Amino acid sequence: VQGFPLGLVWGMLASRAGEIRVLSWNLDGLDERFLHVHARTLDTDTPLSLLTSHLESTKQCADERKRQLMTLFEEAASSGRPALVGGDLNIRDPEAKECLQYASQRGWAFHDAWEQAGDQDSRWTFDMQTNVNFKSRGAGSLLRCAPRIRFDRVYASCGTFADFELGGTQPLAQG
């Protein structure tokens, strides 16, 4: 996007994208951005809004992260299209529940795609019990208990999911 200063980079692949907007929020004095893509589904040509960002990550930034996710929900709801909001949201389960309640109180019907259709045995997107990169560096020995958390999320304001799967869990072949 012309004139967009480089910083934290996130992206989205969409084969049928229309309008692509980079939007800013200035919630705490920082000028941060999120991506909103107007797309169409392949099967029925239905308009769809796709939104992503990388939200604040540390535990002490919970209030800011919740404000950011609620801003994404508000932007998605205002588009008047079915929407998917997802990415490395860094949101913890209690925060997610609070944000979904906020959306519901405003009449926005978002639901967690993973909770609706995901495999609960492989739900962790930050899993230090199975991450071979983490283990190979000896970092696992630094922790008493290797954490398992789901930071990456997808929220939908449309339809139901029959299947939702986490890909990319196997290391790439070296070469």
Side-chain angles (χ1 to χ4, degrees), residues 54-66:
H54 185 273
L55 304 187
E56 293 293 334
S57 59
T58 61
K59 189 174 185 177
Q60 62 266 28
C61 291
D63 289 340
E64 177 66 17
R65 187 171 38 255
K66 290 184 290 188

Side-chain angles (χ1 to χ4, degrees), residues 48-88:
L48 182 68
S49 282
L50 306 171
L51 292 94
T52 191
S53 187
H54 185 273
L55 304 187
E56 293 293 334
S57 59
T58 61
K59 189 174 185 177
Q60 62 266 28
C61 291
D63 289 340
E64 177 66 17
R65 187 171 38 255
K66 290 184 290 188
R67 282 192 297 272
Q68 290 172 338
L69 181 55
M70 291 183 273
T71 300
L72 288 172
F73 284 161
E74 183 175 359
E75 172 70 18
S78 70
S79 75
R81 301 164 164 243
L84 296 175
V85 175
D88 186 358

